[in-house]
Amino acid sequence: MNSGLMDDAAPDDVPRPSAIGGYEDWPAFMRSRPRHIAESAPSQELADALGVPAVPEAPHAVLESAETHDGVTISRVSWQLGFGPRTRAWFLRPAGASGPLPGVLALHCHAGIKSVGAERLLPAGAVPGASSAETGAGKTNADLQRRFYGGGPLAAWLASRGFAVLAHDTFSWGSRRFELGTTPWRLSAAVEGRKALWREAGVVPSETEEYDAAAAAHEDTVAKAAGLLGTSFAGMVAHDDLAALHVLAGLPGVDPGRLGTAGFSGGGSRSLMLATVSPRVRACAVSCMMTTYRSLFPAYLEAHSWLLQTPGLSRLGEYPELAGRSTADRLLVQYALDDELFPANGMRDADATLRGQLAPGQHTGSFWPGGHAFSTDMQDEAARFLADSLSWSLSGSLSRLLSGSLPASRSAGVAPVPSQPPSQDG
């Protein structure tokens, strides 16, 4: 099955490194795990197409530490799923908030950066209990925030608007990343090629940059393994996101009947998939992740990861048609007019499809200036949408925030353009 060129790369007398480092228990988990059971036939079809394994109950979440920064209390949370490393997450609330708050699951983007996950949505230096290695990822997080999130921490900002927010590392990112210290034998060629380019350019990469280069190439192997196990890369991400949604619903001070999801780019895809396979999601915000599959051919396919391109998914319809399978009350989809990852005709066609299939008032589509980024104005619209959709009463400073101007720390009116072309679903 392998080409002859690969036969000499790994002699029989040399043990091959694991191709799924840290996830050696994943195959056994999939053999023992039933499929996710949705509450409607359309949602079940999507869950089956993705191969989402069941999350039978909320994982036991441990609140490990808490600190307050700029009026937001940030608690470190963790839980163990049935396979792979322990999940790390952060729970954010307005400091001193009383009574149940609407909950929002903040879903981090892809960006081709897997060394960190949800930390990119947090304030710099505000990671409770962070180790020196985790603190060293601050430069990566700051760069991601500058390029894609208007320079600010999305999860903390949403919490400052009165939401209870959970931001978690999902399958393949951050605490849930694969171990690639010993490079799988076939991947090593790609990694060595990247190192050669760095040497030629006079670049000395950090350990984080070396990991992310390896992880970018490794995603193909993960998707291949997922297919063999009867699931998909997006299906495993959806599994982790379903578990996090269950955790959010059970955290103190969260109203489980008022839950929403919000995500940019790859996080937007996650937001839509979660809202389609789980009836818990009442409102769904998707930013810079909506198009038609046909518009990706032939020039835009390489811009996207396995989160968007699950084999066989198009048999259920075009990407915007999947939203019609959701039981969420409302859907917000934001488009960037100069998005480098999506052609304009694909975005326009997707918006027309959504307007045609969803009832008036159920869908909001908006087009924004700028490239592939979740600008502060777009974030403000998303927060207003979630507040209105989850129907919670406002008082005091929160009411003034939602009815007035943005906080002084945010710069309104400008859609930031990434400093370099984004890759792999932003």
Side-chain angles (χ1 to χ4, degrees):
M1 294 176 64
N2 292 326
S3 69
L5 292 175
M6 300 304 302
D7 290 342
D8 295 334
D12 292 338
D13 59 346
V14 177
R16 292 184 181 180
S18 171
I20 52 171
Y23 280 85
E24 284 77 11
D25 54 354
W26 181 20
F29 170 84
M30 291 302 299
R31 287 193 295 268
S32 65
R33 181 64 58 195
R35 66 175 182 168
H36 169 73
I37 301 300
E39 294 196 3
S40 70
S43 294
Q44 189 67 60
E45 285 183 336
L46 177 61
D48 289 345
L50 295 175
V52 182
V55 181
E57 58 186 23
H60 174 63
V62 178
L63 292 169
E64 299 174 349
S65 58
E67 297 179 9
T68 298
H69 295 265
D70 297 326
V72 173
T73 298
I74 306 176
S75 301
R76 184 174 174 132
V77 189
S78 70
W79 58 85
Q80 182 64 56
L81 295 173
F83 66 105
R86 191 171 182 85
T87 299
R88 182 181 56 191
W90 290 269
F91 181 45
L92 304 91
R93 295 158 293 171
S98 61
L101 298 175
V104 173
L105 198 62
L107 303 165
H108 64 75
C109 63
H110 188 302
I113 302 295
K114 292 186 176 177
S115 55
V116 296
E119 287 181 52
R120 69 191 68 182
L121 307 181
L122 303 177
V127 181
S131 67
S132 58
E134 291 166 348
T135 303
K139 182 179 181 298
T140 299
N141 293 329
D143 181 60
L144 288 168
Q145 289 180 8
R146 177 181 59 82
R147 291 171 59 196
F148 299 125
Y149 293 97
L154 176 65
W157 184 75
L158 285 172
S160 75
R161 307 287 274 193
F163 299 100
V165 181
L166 184 67
H168 69 287
D169 295 339
T170 198
F171 174 79
S172 199
W173 274 269
S175 59
R176 291 282 282 167
R177 70 188 193 179
F178 284 78
E179 295 175 3
L180 299 176
T182 303
T183 311
W185 68 280
R186 192 169 186 176
L187 180 63
S188 62
V191 172
E192 289 304 315
R194 182 61 179 270
K195 288 181 178 179
L197 291 175
W198 275 324
R199 287 193 298 269
E200 183 178 340
V203 173
V204 179
S206 65
E207 290 185 9
T208 295
E209 288 171 327
E210 288 188 359
Y211 177 85
D212 286 326
H218 185 246
E219 186 170 303
D220 287 343
T221 297
V222 178
K224 186 188 305 181
L228 286 174
L229 295 174
T231 180
S232 66
F233 185 81
M236 294 311 302
V237 169
H239 167 271
D240 277 25
D241 291 345
L242 276 168
L245 188 66
H246 293 334
V247 169
L248 174 62
L251 287 172
V254 177
D255 185 343
R258 294 185 292 167
L259 301 180
T261 60
F264 157 73
S265 195
S269 177
R270 295 166 59 195
S271 183
L272 179 61
M273 295 299 104
L274 191 55
T276 305
V277 300
S278 174
R280 283 184 179 271
V281 178
R282 305 314 320 151
C284 171
V286 176
S287 182
C288 296
M289 183 52 92
M290 185 59 70
T291 190
T292 60
Y293 288 127
R294 62 180 177 270
S295 72
L296 299 178
F297 291 90
Y300 287 81
L301 286 168
E302 65 175 359
H304 299 284
S305 76
W306 291 99
L307 274 179
L308 179 64
Q309 298 172 154
T310 297
L313 191 60
S314 63
R315 295 194 190 102
L316 300 184
E318 279 284 3
Y319 194 65
E321 293 174 332
L322 302 181
R325 297 171 178 269
S326 172
T327 59
D329 297 324
R330 294 186 65 194
L331 168 69
L332 167 68
V333 180
Q334 299 173 318
Y335 307 84
L337 289 168
D338 297 313
D339 199 318
E340 303 90 339
L341 304 187
F342 300 104
N345 66 307
M347 293 188 288
R348 293 291 186 186
D349 288 347
D351 182 64
T353 297
L354 289 167
R355 284 188 282 109
Q357 72 174 358
L358 298 179
Q362 186 181 4
H363 162 252
T364 300
S366 61
F367 287 81
W368 294 83
H372 191 74
F374 196 12
S375 72
T376 55
D377 283 352
M378 295 166 77
Q379 292 175 36
D380 189 58
E381 180 188 51
R384 293 174 187 274
F385 163 81
L386 290 168
D388 181 61
S389 301
L390 299 176
S391 301
W392 53 289
S393 61
L394 307 175
S395 62
S397 60
L398 293 178
S399 178
R400 289 192 296 273
L401 280 172
L402 286 176
S403 61
S405 61
L406 291 171
S409 61
R410 298 167 62 84
S411 57
V414 178
V417 178
S419 59
Q420 61 188 73
S423 63
Q424 288 197 318
D425 297 345

